[in-house]
Amino acid sequence: AFNDAMVACKASWRVVLEVMDEMQLAELHPDEVTYLALVQALKGSKKWMLPQIFQKAKAQGVQMLPRAYKLSIRACAEAAQWQQAMSFLEEAEGHFGSMDAGTLTSISKYSWRHTLHLMSLLRKRKTTPEKWLQHQAVQTLQEASRPREALQLRAIWATWEGALQL
């Protein structure tokens, strides 16, 4: 019943936090659905609380759902909280494997430095980025007046043998 209330009220972060408090008073333990509702409520105006929510879930032995990671990555990228977005990405990929196209695009379209970091992560995993992500990366670099880096990425993708120099 508490999860249903949280999902129904996910637009109001205050209500969701109140329901969470009531759960604790009733000695009920939140699960992955509870935390997903909390992430959905906080991803707007309370993005800064997301890392604390993930830590709390971990401490309680709750494995966050992939959707919670996706929402958190996008929220952090939109707020230019790059370090946290990349941290969520790396953690999510450690649990679930590669994230979807929309999640990766949300990182690569906002910052050329983080685009390069994302490409470096893919290179370390010996994963060639899909064409759409290559296009997004090059576009982000060109918009940031970084044509040298864009050409460098294209050359690396063509051979995938050279070292990515960031």
Side-chain angles (χ1 to χ4, degrees):
F2 281 99
N3 278 352
D4 292 338
M6 288 184 74
V7 170
C9 299
K10 67 185 174 190
S12 172
W13 62 268
R14 284 186 179 101
V15 173
V16 171
L17 288 175
E18 287 174 17
V19 171
M20 193 81 157
D21 288 342
E22 287 180 34
M23 286 180 71
Q24 290 177 342
L25 290 174
E27 297 184 12
L28 297 172
H29 301 287
D31 62 11
E32 62 277 353
V33 175
T34 312
Y35 278 105
L36 176 59
L38 189 53
V39 166
Q40 288 173 318
L42 297 175
K43 70 179 174 64
S45 61
K46 300 291 179 185
K47 294 173 191 61
W48 59 270
M49 293 178 72
L50 293 171
Q52 297 165 346
I53 298 305
F54 276 75
Q55 288 173 350
K56 189 172 184 177
K58 267 188 219 172
Q60 294 176 341
V62 175
Q63 173 60 56
M64 298 297 267
L65 295 170
R67 178 94 177 119
Y69 280 101
K70 291 174 189 179
L71 291 171
S72 298
I73 290 166
R74 287 181 181 161
C76 290
E78 289 169 5
Q81 296 174 347
W82 302 112
Q83 189 172 9
Q84 189 59 56
M86 295 305 290
S87 176
F88 280 140
L89 176 67
E90 290 175 15
E91 187 176 328
E93 289 189 337
H95 292 298
F96 310 111
S98 182
M99 294 304 280
D100 65 26
T103 305
L104 295 175
T105 300
S106 69
I107 291 174
S108 68
K109 74 179 180 180
Y110 290 106
S111 164
W112 69 267
R113 284 189 176 94
H114 291 87
T115 295
L116 291 176
H117 183 69
L118 179 60
M119 295 304 118
S120 179
L121 287 174
L122 293 173
R123 175 140 175 81
K124 286 177 187 172
R125 295 184 186 128
K126 299 181 179 166
T127 303
T128 303
E130 295 179 29
K131 293 291 181 194
W132 63 265
L133 188 55
Q134 291 179 20
H135 174 75
Q136 178 66 52
V138 168
Q139 183 178 345
T140 299
L141 291 168
Q142 288 173 339
E143 288 172 2
S145 299
R146 309 298 291 190
R148 191 176 125 241
E149 288 87 347
L151 288 173
Q152 191 177 24
L153 280 179
R154 284 186 172 152
I156 289 167
W157 292 327
T159 63
W160 209 242
E161 294 173 4
L164 186 57
Q165 307 211 353
L166 305 177

